Amino acid sequence: MLLTSKYSLPDCPEHTLARPRLLSLLDESHSDQMLLVTAPAGYGKTTLISSWALTQDNPVAWFSLDGSDNDPGQFCRYLVESVHRATGNGVPETHKLLAAQQRPDVALVISQMLAELRGLPSELRIVLDDYHQIDNPAVHDATRFLLRHAPAGIGIVLTSRSQPPLGLASLRVAGRLLELGSAEIAQLLKQRLPFALDSDRVDQLHQLSEGWPPAVQLFALSVRDRDEVDRYFAELEQGHSHILDYLAEEVLERLEPQLRELLASTSILTRVNAQLAERLSGLGDGQQLLEQTARRGLFLQAQDSSRRWFRYHPVFARFLQRQLTDAHRLQQLHSNACDTWLEMGQPVEALRHALAAGDAERAQQLLTTQGEQLLREGQSRLLIDSLNWLGEDKIRRNARFALIAAKLAQENYEHDQCEKYLAAAESWLQREDPAQWRDFEGAFAAARAQAAVSRGLTLQAKEYAEEALALLREDQRGDRTAALLVTGETSFCLGELEGAKAHMQEVEALALAEQDYPSATWAICQQAEIAIAQGLMKKAAALQQRAHRMVEDHHLAGLPISEFICRLGGQLQWEQGDLDGAAASARRGMQINRKVGERWLLPEYTLLLKVAQARGEKEESLEWLARVNRLMAGERYHRDWVANADSARIRVWRALGDNGAIAAWLEQAQPVADRPSNHFEQCHGRNHVRAMIELHRWSDANRLLSRLLQVARDCGLVTDCLRNRVLEARLLWLRERRDGAINAIREALSISVERDFSASFLQIGKPLIVILKAALEGDGERAALGDAERDKAQALIRLAQQQPELDGGIRIELDETIIREILDSDAVPDFLRHSPLTPREWQVLNAIHSGLSNERIARHFKVAPSTIKTHIRSLYQKLDVKDRQEAIALAEQLLRSVQDQP
C-alpha cells in the first residue's frame, strides 16, 4: 500500500516565512530547467517549494522521499503515483505497466511515463523532496535518466541538505539548472514580533543562530516583549530544549554509528581538520569522513577553498556537546585536543582545552610561555577564565601571571583591581622571591604607566614610563614597547604633538622589527589621531587605511585594535559629512566589540546617535540617547569616550529644548582642566561652553572658551582651534557682537581650506547659515574672503540648509541679511512689503516660532514683558494674523523660503 502523504502536496505551516525574492526566482524559472534547493535541516526548503507549488496554475507532482525509497522499485512506484495523481490520471499505461511488474524495470517504467507525458496539454513540475535521503546508486541512476530524457514542459525540482551526485555540470553549463542555497536572510521578525527589534539585536540573533530558520522562528513565536529577548539569547547559547529535540529527531537518529562518533568527539572543537578528527574520534581517513559529513548537510561547513578546515554551526555544536555525558571521556577528549593543537602551533586552542580538561600543569605552562602574546592578540576572555581558574594565590606568586591579571583589569578600566594585583605580587615577591622581583620590576613600572595614562594621570604615567625604560633589559622588548607607547601617549596628552609623533613612529619601527603587529598597528592609529589633532585630515585618512591594511595582512581582524580602526574611520567620515559611511563604520565596530560586552560599545552608540540626529531622526536619536545614558550611568570610561558622548548628548538635549538635562549635566560634570592640552579635554571644555550658552551664562562661557582657544593655539591643536572658533562665532552672535562673530567664522573658514571639515561647522546648527551669510556679505567692509573660503562658506550654507531638525521645524536666527532674503523671496505676502516689521519685531516673531513664551522672550531680550506684548500686537497687525498659531505658521512659511534654497 502506498502512503498518500508521500505523494501529496504538504500544507504550509501557519507561521510560514515569506520569501518573496526566492518565490520570484522560482516563478521566473523555465519549465525545462531543473530547480535545486540545498540547505541544512530546518532552512525551510520544503516550505518554500510547497508554498510556491500552491500558487502554480499548472500541475505539480509531489514526492516526499525517506530512507525506504532507496529501493528502486519503491522509488518508481511513488514517482509514477505522484505524477498520475497530479495530472488527473495522466499516465494510465505506465500505471498498468508498473502494476504488472513485481520487480519493475526502472528505465522502462520511466521511459513509458515520459512518453505519455509528451501529450500532456500543460506544463508539469515533479518535486523530489528531501533527496538527501537517497544514497543508492541505482536510484541516482534513475533520477539521472529522468533528468536526461524529460521532454519540453516537464521540469524537475529537488530539495536536499547536500549536493546530489547527479552529474549536474552539463545542466549548469547549458543554463538549465537554477540553484537556490541557504543565503536568504529570514524576514520573519518584522512579520511576527509584536514589537520592533532594533538592528543590533537582529544582528545578535543572526550571529547566535547564523540565520538558521528554526532558531529564528522559535524566537519569533516565544518572545513576546523586549524583556524576554536576552532570556531567549541566553537559552540559545546554552542550547534551547525545543531545538535540541528537533535536531535529535531530524538529524542524529538517522546517522550511522561511525558518523555519530565523529560528530560527537569533534563537536568540542571551534574548527576541525583531518588530523584533529582522527586523533579525537580514533577513526581513520578523517578527511574523507569530514567531506562526507559536509556533503550530507550535517551543519559542517568548509572554511577554506582546499576544504581542509571545517566548522560546525554553533547551534548544532552545542547540541552535539550535550550528547557527551561521560565526564571521563569528555576530559580525555579535551586533553587530546590540547596536545594536538600544541603540535599544530595553536596555543589559544590548546589553552582552551587545557582549562576544559582541568589540567593545571598544561594550563600554567601555556600561560607562562604564551600569556603575553595572547594578551596582545586580544584573548581577554580566555585569559580571564585562565586566571580565575588559577586563583589569587598562584597569581601573586608568579610575576608573569600578576602582570597579565593587572593588564586585563586595566583594559577593563578596573583601575583599583589593577593596582591590587600589582601591589599584592610586589609585596609577596619582595619578601619571598626578590630575584624574581628584580627581573620584573621594570615590567611592573610599565604596567603602572599604562594604568595611569588610562586613568588620565598624565604626569604620573610619564614618570612610571621613564622609570620602566630605565629598569627594563633589552630582551624585555614587549614591556619596552609598552613603556614607549605610554611616553608617546603622555606627550600627546600634554600637547607635545611633534614629540608624540616621533615616539609613535619609534614604537612602530620597533614593533615591526619584533613582528609585534598589534603594537605597530596601535602606533599607526595613534599617529592618525595626532594628525587629526593637527588638522591633517587627509594624512589621518591615509594612516587609518595603512592600519587597516596591517590588520588585513596580518589577520588581526578579531583584535580590539580593529575596532579602533573602525572608530577612526567613522570619525573621519562623520567630519566629511558621509553619514552612511560613518554609520557603517560604527556597526562594524559594534560587531568586533560586542563579543567582549556591551559596555565597550559606547563610542559606536555615540556615533550612531550623532548620525541619527544629523538625519533628523527623532525616534532613532532618542533610542541611541537612552543607550548612551544607560552605559554612562553604570560604567567608568576614559575621558575621551566620556567627552565625545557628552558632546552628542548635549546637542540632542539642545535640539529638544531640554535645558533641565543640560543644567543637571553641568552641575555634576567634572571641571575643565586648567590647561586643556589635548583633544578630549578641549572637547570636555566645549561641552561646558555649550551648556553655559544654553543656560544663558554667556560671560562664563566666553571666559572658558578664551582659555580653550589659547591653549589649543599654544599646543598646535588645529582641529580644536577651528571648533573653538566656530563655537565662539555662535556665542558672539548671540551676544550681538556681529563683527567678532564674523571674524571668528572667517578664521575657521581659513583653517578649513584644503581640509575635509564639515561636521565641525554644522554642530552649531541653523545659526551657521546666518553667520556665514553675514561673513560673505561683509566683504565690502573688510578684506574680502578668498575664493576658497567663499566656496567653502557657500558649500557649508547648503549643507546647513539641508540638515533637518529633530522636531521637523525650521530654526534660523534672523538678522538683516536673512530678513532681506525673506523680503526678496516669492513666499512673502505683499502686505509685509508695504508694512515692514522692525528688526526687533522680526526677532520676536522668530522667538514665537521657536516656541518661547512671552516671559522667556522678555528675559531673552532683557526687557519688560509689557514691551514684548506691545511688539507682538504690532507684528500681528502688520502680518494680518489673529493669534499665535497663525503667526507661527506664517513664520514657518517665510523661514522655509530661505531654508529650502539650493
Side-chain angles (χ1 to χ4, degrees):
M1 256 180 104
L2 299 181
L3 300 174
T4 58
S5 60
K6 287 175 62 65
Y7 55 77
S8 301
L9 190 65
D11 293 331
C12 286
E14 179 183 353
H15 297 287
T16 300
L17 175 63
R19 287 171 168 169
R21 188 184 72 84
L22 293 181
L23 291 172
S24 176
L25 287 173
L26 292 170
D27 285 335
E28 294 169 4
S29 64
H30 305 300
S31 59
D32 61 346
Q33 280 184 308
M34 174 187 165
L35 302 179
L36 174 62
V37 182
T38 59
Y43 270 80
K45 301 179 294 296
T46 299
T47 301
L48 172 68
I49 298 301
S50 62
S51 60
W52 168 74
L54 287 169
T55 66
Q56 299 304 294
D57 296 329
N58 295 320
V60 176
W62 191 277
F63 179 9
S64 296
L65 293 100
D66 57 38
S68 63
D69 297 310
N70 278 290
D71 174 75
Q74 177 161 313
F75 175 85
C76 239
R77 289 188 182 90
Y78 275 109
L79 175 65
V80 171
E81 188 66 24
S82 66
V83 171
H84 192 55
R85 299 272 183 147
T87 56
N89 300 330
V91 288
E93 297 303 319
T94 310
H95 210 260
K96 291 177 185 176
L97 174 65
L98 194 57
Q101 295 182 352
Q102 186 172 358
R103 299 180 65 82
D105 183 328
V106 175
L108 178 62
V109 170
I110 292 177
S111 295
Q112 176 62 39
M113 180 183 74
L114 294 177
E116 288 190 88
L117 289 175
R118 290 180 191 279
L120 196 68
S122 63
E123 295 181 349
L124 170 71
R125 295 295 179 99
I126 302 172
V127 178
L128 304 180
D129 188 36
D130 284 345
Y131 195 82
H132 56 271
Q133 300 280 359
I134 302 302
D135 54 22
N136 186 342
V139 177
H140 290 317
D141 288 342
T143 305
R144 275 193 289 269
F145 187 88
L146 175 65
L147 290 170
R148 189 177 304 117
H149 298 288
I154 308 299
I156 313 299
V157 182
L158 266 69
T159 74
S160 177
R161 295 180 186 175
S162 55
Q163 282 279 335
L166 298 175
L168 302 177
S170 59
L171 289 175
R172 189 176 289 114
V173 170
R176 292 187 56 222
L177 178 64
L178 174 62
E179 297 175 274
L180 303 179
S182 58
E184 187 74 1
I185 302 298
Q187 297 297 315
L188 184 67
L189 302 177
K190 288 185 180 179
Q191 302 171 22
R192 300 298 179 192
L193 285 181
F195 59 91
L197 193 67
D198 54 76
S199 55
D200 62 316
R201 281 289 198 253
V202 173
D203 290 343
Q204 191 173 356
L205 175 62
H206 186 64
Q207 286 178 3
L208 286 171
S209 66
E210 292 198 0
W212 190 46
V216 179
Q217 181 92 322
L218 185 61
F219 175 84
L221 293 174
S222 60
V223 173
R224 300 269 55 95
D225 56 51
R226 290 183 177 86
D227 294 337
E228 294 183 353
V229 172
D230 288 333
R231 174 189 57 76
Y232 180 87
F233 287 168
E235 289 181 3
L236 188 57
E237 283 187 319
Q238 296 301 316
H240 199 290
S241 59
H242 295 314
I243 293 176
L244 299 182
D245 292 342
Y246 174 86
L247 291 170
E249 295 172 6
E250 293 295 320
V251 180
L252 203 61
E253 290 182 2
R254 306 186 180 194
L255 297 180
E256 53 269 34
Q258 189 179 42
L259 274 185
R260 284 194 193 187
E261 174 60 28
L262 177 77
L263 294 174
S265 59
T266 58
S267 65
I268 64 171
L269 301 168
T270 55
R271 61 189 190 278
V272 58
N273 66 358
Q275 181 180 351
L276 285 159
E278 291 170 3
R279 289 282 293 272
L280 270 65
S281 69
L283 301 170
D285 207 351
Q287 184 65 30
Q288 181 178 341
L289 286 173
L290 289 172
E291 291 190 3
Q292 179 186 352
T293 303
R295 282 196 303 271
R296 291 181 62 170
L298 294 174
F299 296 89
L300 190 69
Q301 300 169 330
Q303 294 300 101
D304 58 346
S305 58
S306 62
R307 300 181 67 81
R308 297 296 176 187
W309 286 98
F310 298 82
R311 66 179 284 273
Y312 289 107
H313 189 292
V315 175
F316 191 51
R318 288 191 288 272
F319 161 70
L320 292 171
Q321 289 160 17
R322 289 285 189 95
Q323 316 307 310
L324 296 169
T325 56
D326 184 332
H328 177 72
R329 184 196 176 201
L330 183 60
Q331 181 185 32
Q332 190 58 49
L333 284 172
H334 282 297
S335 295
N336 289 344
C338 176
D339 291 342
T340 309
W341 281 119
L342 273 178
E343 291 173 16
M344 297 166 66
Q346 298 290 329
V348 172
E349 299 294 345
L351 181 55
R352 283 199 183 102
H353 290 288
L355 294 176
D359 192 325
E361 184 178 347
R362 281 188 176 95
Q364 290 187 61
Q365 180 62 27
L366 282 165
L367 275 177
T368 300
T369 58
Q370 304 290 334
E372 281 292 329
Q373 181 64 27
L374 296 181
L375 188 64
R376 282 195 296 272
E377 292 175 358
Q379 298 294 336
S380 300
R381 282 193 174 182
L382 177 60
L383 289 170
I384 289 170
D385 290 343
S386 302
L387 294 170
N388 288 340
W389 186 74
L390 285 176
E392 290 190 3
D393 188 57
K394 287 185 179 178
I395 293 173
R396 68 189 175 95
R397 293 167 181 259
N398 185 300
R400 293 183 189 277
F401 298 169
L403 284 166
I404 293 170
K407 290 175 183 178
L408 285 169
Q410 178 258 315
E411 286 181 358
N412 285 289
Y413 296 102
E414 297 170 352
H415 303 302
D416 293 340
Q417 185 64 37
C418 171
E419 180 54 32
K420 179 181 175 182
Y421 282 125
L422 294 173
E426 179 180 359
S427 176
W428 191 91
L429 292 169
Q430 291 221 43
R431 289 195 321 268
E432 307 295 336
D433 195 345
Q436 187 183 173
W437 168 249
R438 284 191 296 273
D439 283 342
F440 286 92
E441 185 177 1
F444 272 56
R448 285 183 163 121
Q450 289 177 299
V453 79
S454 180
R455 297 176 70 176
L457 303 174
T458 305
L459 294 176
Q460 187 182 96
K462 188 178 181 67
E463 291 170 358
Y464 275 128
E466 290 170 351
E467 179 186 352
L469 291 171
L471 290 169
L472 288 165
R473 302 186 307 274
E474 288 299 322
D475 63 334
Q476 293 176 295
R477 296 182 182 89
D479 293 308
R480 290 189 67 82
T481 299
L484 281 168
L485 266 173
V486 172
T487 304
E489 288 187 58
T490 56
S491 296
F492 186 24
C493 292
L494 292 170
E496 301 164 1
L497 299 189
E498 289 302 321
K501 181 169 68 174
H503 284 305
M504 292 305 174
Q505 289 171 342
E506 181 183 2
V507 170
E508 180 189 353
L510 287 173
L512 287 174
E514 293 296 317
Q515 297 185 339
D516 179 2
Y517 299 114
S519 294
T521 308
W522 187 266
I524 295 170
C525 289
Q526 291 288 341
Q527 291 173 59
E529 283 212 311
I530 294 167
I532 292 173
Q534 293 175 319
L536 305 174
M537 310 306 279
K538 292 179 181 177
K539 180 178 180 180
L543 286 163
Q544 188 263 353
Q545 285 299 310
R546 181 145 65 90
H548 179 68
R549 287 193 298 273
M550 184 85 75
V551 165
E552 288 188 333
D553 292 345
H554 300 288
H555 312 291
L556 308 178
L559 303 191
I561 186 63
S562 57
E563 183 274 336
F564 189 11
I565 293 169
C566 291
R567 196 181 340 139
L568 280 172
Q571 290 173 14
L572 292 166
Q573 290 160 327
W574 163 255
E575 184 59 57
Q576 296 162 9
D578 180 5
L579 299 183
D580 291 341
S585 293
R587 295 193 182 281
R588 283 195 296 273
M590 286 169 65
Q591 290 176 353
I592 296 164
N593 261 5
R594 180 175 282 115
K595 63 186 178 184
V596 293
E598 189 188 19
R599 65 172 297 189
W600 297 100
L601 303 183
L602 180 62
E604 284 72 30
Y605 285 2
T606 299
L607 184 52
L608 289 168
L609 170 59
K610 291 160 69 174
V611 169
Q613 186 197 0
R615 289 171 171 166
E617 298 169 343
K618 183 175 181 180
E619 295 304 318
E620 283 279 314
S621 295
L622 292 175
E623 180 181 329
W624 291 116
L625 176 64
R627 293 193 193 188
V628 169
N629 288 341
R630 174 167 50 81
L631 289 187
M632 295 186 73
E635 302 287 352
R636 290 187 299 174
Y637 294 105
H638 189 277
R639 289 287 286 275
D640 191 0
W641 289 16
V642 172
N644 193 31
D646 284 342
S647 174
R649 295 200 296 170
I650 290 170
R651 283 198 294 274
V652 175
W653 292 331
R654 183 190 69 196
L656 299 176
D658 191 352
N659 277 7
I662 294 175
W665 177 86
L666 188 58
E667 184 177 349
Q668 58 79 43
Q670 292 287 324
V672 180
D674 291 339
R675 189 172 185 272
S677 54
N678 52 66
H679 65 281
F680 50 86
E681 292 293 357
Q682 286 273 323
C683 180
H684 182 58
R686 282 193 297 276
N687 291 339
H688 276 257
V689 172
R690 291 188 186 99
M692 292 171 181
I693 289 174
E694 296 306 313
L695 300 175
H696 285 240
R697 291 173 51 185
W698 292 347
S699 295
D700 292 338
N702 185 66
R703 283 192 296 273
L704 176 53
L705 193 51
S706 296
R707 174 153 54 100
L708 292 173
L709 187 56
Q710 185 60 53
V711 176
R713 284 172 172 159
D714 292 345
C715 296
L717 299 170
V718 174
T719 296
D720 287 296
C721 282
L722 180 144
R723 291 170 178 169
N724 292 338
R725 288 297 261 166
V726 171
L727 189 55
E728 183 184 27
R730 164 70 171 145
L731 176 58
L732 292 172
W733 194 265
L734 283 172
R735 303 183 78 183
E736 299 183 1
R737 297 180 181 177
R738 179 188 176 102
D739 288 344
I742 292 173
N743 286 334
I745 207 70
R746 281 171 164 248
E747 183 180 335
L749 287 170
S750 67
I751 294 173
S752 71
V753 170
E754 298 184 0
R755 294 184 169 101
D756 295 327
F757 283 107
S758 294
S760 291
F761 286 91
L762 297 172
Q763 298 317 294
I764 63 172
K766 298 300 182 184
L768 179 68
I769 299 173
V770 184
I771 300 170
L772 286 172
K773 288 190 174 185
L776 288 168
E777 189 181 64
D779 281 358
E781 304 168 14
R782 55 181 62 81
L785 287 172
D787 290 341
E789 286 87 349
R790 291 185 65 82
D791 291 345
K792 184 69 175 182
Q794 290 164 349
L796 288 168
I797 289 171
R798 288 192 293 272
L799 288 173
Q801 288 173 334
Q802 295 161 9
Q803 187 167 328
E805 296 285 351
L806 284 185
D807 60 2
I810 303 299
R811 297 288 180 268
I812 303 177
E813 294 187 4
L814 302 182
D815 81 329
E816 295 173 8
T817 305
I818 298 297
I819 292 170
R820 280 198 298 273
E821 285 197 29
I822 291 174
L823 292 174
D824 290 341
S825 74
D826 294 335
V828 69
D830 288 337
F831 60 77
L832 195 53
R833 291 195 180 94
H834 300 314
S835 181
L837 303 181
T838 66
R840 178 64 82 194
E841 286 170 347
W842 276 110
Q843 292 172 342
V844 171
L845 176 61
N846 195 42
I848 291 172
H849 171 257
S850 298
L852 300 184
S853 65
N854 289 357
E855 290 74 15
R856 287 188 63 189
I857 297 173
R859 288 199 302 271
H860 178 79
F861 292 115
K862 297 178 181 177
V863 298
S866 59
T867 303
I868 294 301
K869 288 180 181 178
T870 301
H871 287 309
I872 291 174
R873 281 195 300 270
S874 175
L875 70 88
Y876 279 10
Q877 183 178 3
K878 291 179 179 180
L879 294 175
D880 193 24
V881 299
K882 64 178 183 296
D883 57 26
R884 204 177 196 89
Q885 290 306 312
E886 286 190 11
I888 290 172
L890 179 58
E892 186 81 7
Q893 175 188 341
L894 298 176
L895 292 174
R896 196 172 292 281
S897 71
V898 179
Q899 159 73 10
D900 291 341
Q901 288 182 9

